[in-house]
Amino acid sequence: MACPVQFLCRVVRTVGLVLVYYVFSIGITFYNKWLMKGFHYPLFMTLVHLTIIFCLSTLTRSAMQCWTGKPRVMLNWTDYLTKVAPVAIATALDIGLSNWSFLFITISLYTMTKSSAVLFILFFSLVFKLEHPNPYLIVVVLLIASGLFMFTFKSTQFNLKGFIMVLLASFIGGIRWTLTQVLMQKAELGLQNPIDTMYHLQPLMFMGLFPLFLFNEGLSLSTSEKLFRVNELSPLLDTLVMLSVGGSLAFGLGFSEFLLVSKTSSLTLSIAGIFKEACTLLLAAGLMGDRMSGLNLMGFAVCVSGISLHVGLKTYYSKSKIHSLRQLPIKNSQDLEVPLLCHKEDEGEETADDDKEQEILL
């Protein structure tokens, strides 16, 4: 009876973690879109989110240090500016442009266009030699690209400016996640834990996005009645509370992704991400009134099939790689590169690899 009980507990735990991930991931998407209807300062909103994430990650690090009794990693200035800064700048631009696009496009168009990030991740993983060339990748690229074209073709709610913003964010996101994997795989830096990574990234992200905020929103925000020219205290407090909720959702999203990967596998996160996009589109149509034609829905199905093929291929090749690694001496295994979008299948290896595995999927 022990095995069925353990299996049932594992299923319940996995479903619970997936639902928590959905709440934060889908929640922040709809929340930001809703907030942008009355608060037209997406870059300022992103800066507030970065500040909140930094504060929460600092508190979490302190709690972890008190619990374990071990000091958390703290990088020196040389490593911080040369190795962390490129990741931080790319991450800031990716998030900033994504939030900015909500002023112009629907959630459904945003979700579909953001799916193209897989293409750019594949491209940059080949450039940085994190991924080996494979003929099946051509099929993946064609499916995702054609699906995106079908979804945007003759869309009644298409906005070119917003579409370009999200596409540019996806391109930068490809750089972001590739550099993030390289950063987190450098064991000497000690940034395998996402909480430590978030803690080190936020200040540089803030400084990287701040000049763009000053140029685009600084003057209008300084004369806006939303913040600096309020006549009453109550509207100001309402605005700050709404921004704080978004920051908390952003932190919860990163933390829930880490929990889902560490307690189950990165394959679970990949599959959950596919169904999450379908849920987002259905909710966007039902709650936000997004309109999609039959061709648009067919494009979504083609795009999802491309992403699913990519996940399946990575699972297959990861199994082959794990089998080959077991044939090698232990002293050599530490020097091997981990491929992009690696997937952990064996439950028995979970504990040893929890802090080293990083999933790259948007």
Side-chain angles (χ1 to χ4, degrees):
M1 292 296 294
C3 290
V5 172
Q6 291 179 356
F7 175 77
L8 180 61
C9 292
R10 186 178 302 172
V11 170
V12 172
R13 182 188 64 180
T14 302
V15 171
L17 291 173
V18 169
L19 290 177
V20 171
Y21 164 65
Y22 278 11
V23 168
F24 284 111
S25 182
I26 299 177
I28 194 172
T29 299
F30 281 86
Y31 189 84
N32 286 344
K33 178 62 178 178
W34 170 79
L35 186 60
M36 287 298 98
K37 291 182 178 180
F39 188 82
H40 300 162
Y41 303 99
L43 298 181
F44 178 78
M45 178 191 73
T46 305
L47 292 178
V48 174
H49 289 181
L50 297 179
T51 304
I52 293 174
I53 293 173
F54 176 75
C55 294
L56 292 178
S57 60
T58 301
L59 292 175
T60 305
R61 275 167 52 95
S62 300
M64 293 170 66
Q65 183 170 331
C66 293
W67 181 264
T68 62
K70 299 179 180 179
R72 307 304 302 176
V73 62
M74 184 67 69
L75 297 182
N76 58 60
W77 282 105
T78 301
D79 289 336
Y80 190 54
L81 296 177
T82 58
K83 299 176 181 179
V84 178
V87 181
I89 299 300
T91 304
L93 292 175
D94 178 14
I95 297 175
L97 288 170
S98 297
N99 289 337
W100 198 351
S101 69
F102 278 126
L103 290 176
F104 310 101
I105 63 174
T106 61
I107 290 179
S108 56
L109 180 57
Y110 168 84
T111 301
M112 271 299 301
T113 309
K114 248 317 191 176
S115 300
S116 65
V118 176
L119 301 179
F120 299 113
I121 290 175
L122 287 174
F123 172 74
F124 286 108
S125 65
L126 291 172
V127 171
F128 286 91
K129 297 182 179 180
L130 296 173
E131 183 87 26
H132 299 293
N134 189 305
Y136 291 107
L137 294 180
I138 300 177
V139 180
V140 173
V141 170
L142 290 177
L143 285 173
I144 297 177
S146 58
L148 181 61
F149 175 78
M150 293 168 64
F151 190 86
T152 57
F153 183 72
K154 291 186 178 180
S155 175
T156 58
Q157 296 174 302
F158 181 79
N159 183 285
L160 181 60
K161 185 175 182 180
F163 175 75
I164 292 177
M165 282 185 177
V166 182
L167 202 60
L168 182 58
S170 298
F171 176 81
I172 298 175
I175 303 175
R176 164 197 177 184
W177 288 114
T178 306
L179 293 178
T180 299
Q181 180 176 353
V182 174
L183 178 69
M184 297 187 72
Q185 287 177 0
K186 293 181 178 179
E188 69 274 10
L189 294 180
L191 294 180
Q192 288 80 10
N193 191 307
I195 298 296
D196 294 324
T197 304
M198 287 192 291
Y199 171 81
H200 285 86
L201 284 177
Q202 306 312 306
L204 287 175
M205 289 172 61
F206 188 98
M207 289 186 289
L209 195 61
F210 191 73
L212 184 60
F213 155 73
L214 285 180
F215 176 78
N216 188 70
E217 299 177 359
L219 181 60
S220 59
L221 183 63
S222 63
T223 58
S224 170
E225 295 183 356
K226 293 289 184 180
L227 285 177
F228 296 106
R229 294 184 61 192
V230 292
N231 298 322
E232 298 180 4
L233 183 60
S234 179
L236 175 62
L237 293 178
D238 291 342
T239 300
L240 294 178
V241 168
M242 289 189 296
L243 292 174
S244 299
V245 170
S248 301
L249 288 173
F251 177 81
L253 174 59
F255 197 71
S256 63
E257 288 176 337
F258 167 65
L259 283 178
L260 183 58
V261 171
S262 62
K263 297 301 182 182
T264 58
S265 71
S266 56
L267 176 60
T268 304
L269 178 62
S270 303
I271 297 174
I274 296 173
F275 285 100
K276 184 205 72 176
E277 293 184 347
C279 293
T280 302
L281 289 181
L282 292 175
L283 289 173
L287 299 178
M288 310 296 290
D290 291 7
R291 298 186 298 273
M292 290 173 283
S293 65
L295 181 63
N296 298 151
L297 293 175
M298 188 180 299
F300 170 72
V302 172
C303 187
V304 168
S305 65
I307 297 175
S308 302
L309 175 61
H310 180 65
V311 172
L313 289 173
K314 293 311 300 179
T315 304
Y316 173 78
Y317 286 113
S318 294
K319 285 183 178 179
S320 301
K321 188 174 183 66
I322 290 174
H323 178 75
S324 63
L325 287 177
R326 287 172 178 167
Q327 311 301 320
L328 296 174
I330 297 178
K331 63 180 181 179
N332 293 333
S333 63
Q334 297 177 353
D335 298 328
L336 295 176
E337 290 183 348
V338 180
L340 197 66
L341 285 170
C342 60
H343 299 297
K344 175 180 52 153
E345 290 294 325
D346 295 340
E347 191 72 24
E349 297 179 6
E350 230 177 75
T351 304
D353 293 339
D354 278 353
D355 293 335
K356 294 184 179 180
E357 181 181 1
Q358 171 65 21
E359 168 66 16
I360 303 184
L361 186 67
L362 300 182

